[in-house]
Amino acid sequence: MEKSEAHIFAAELGLKIPQLDLHEKYPEEAEAEVKGFILENYNFDKEMIRIIYGVGTGKMKEVVLGVLEQVEIKNIFDTLEVKSGSCVIVFK
């Protein structure tokens, strides 16, 4: 098992990692919050984070994945695991 796979497995088991829960947020305000959350945790040398966007209509998932496609964000993570309603990001 690779390091990134082990991290994702640990996250699925409930390991305490930083989480951003976007329930009760509007998609318009989520982009800045997601980007800030990712950069803050990367700068504090966290190994991985989880972003919970829920299942709903899929709009929040679109916002989160759009942020993750931005070049400055895409270059700082090694692995992205998208599950139903959330994603886990393992930093480089």
Side-chain angles (χ1 to χ4, degrees):
M1 180 180 291
E2 291 183 29
K3 178 183 171 187
S4 58
E5 290 173 332
H7 281 103
I8 291 169
F9 180 68
E12 290 172 347
L13 291 177
L15 180 71
K16 297 226 179 230
I17 63 171
Q19 295 188 67
L20 175 62
D21 189 344
L22 296 172
H23 286 99
E24 300 185 23
K25 299 282 183 185
Y26 293 102
E28 304 81 41
E29 61 189 5
E31 184 174 348
E33 192 164 344
V34 168
K35 192 171 186 178
F37 178 73
I38 292 169
L39 293 174
E40 177 183 338
N41 283 285
Y42 177 75
N43 289 333
F44 282 114
D45 295 324
K46 300 294 182 182
E47 290 187 31
M48 65 182 159
I49 59 172
R50 180 181 215 162
I51 301 173
I52 302 167
Y53 44 76
V55 287
T57 64
K59 182 63 180 164
M60 194 66 79
K61 179 179 178 180
E62 282 181 33
V63 170
V64 171
L65 296 180
V67 170
L68 294 171
E69 284 295 317
Q70 295 175 4
V71 174
E72 69 271 22
I73 300 296
K74 200 173 191 176
N75 289 330
I76 65 173
F77 68 86
D78 182 43
T79 303
L80 169 65
E81 177 76 20
V82 177
K83 296 281 188 179
S84 178
S86 70
C87 62
V88 175
I89 301 163
V90 179
F91 294 116
K92 290 183 180 178

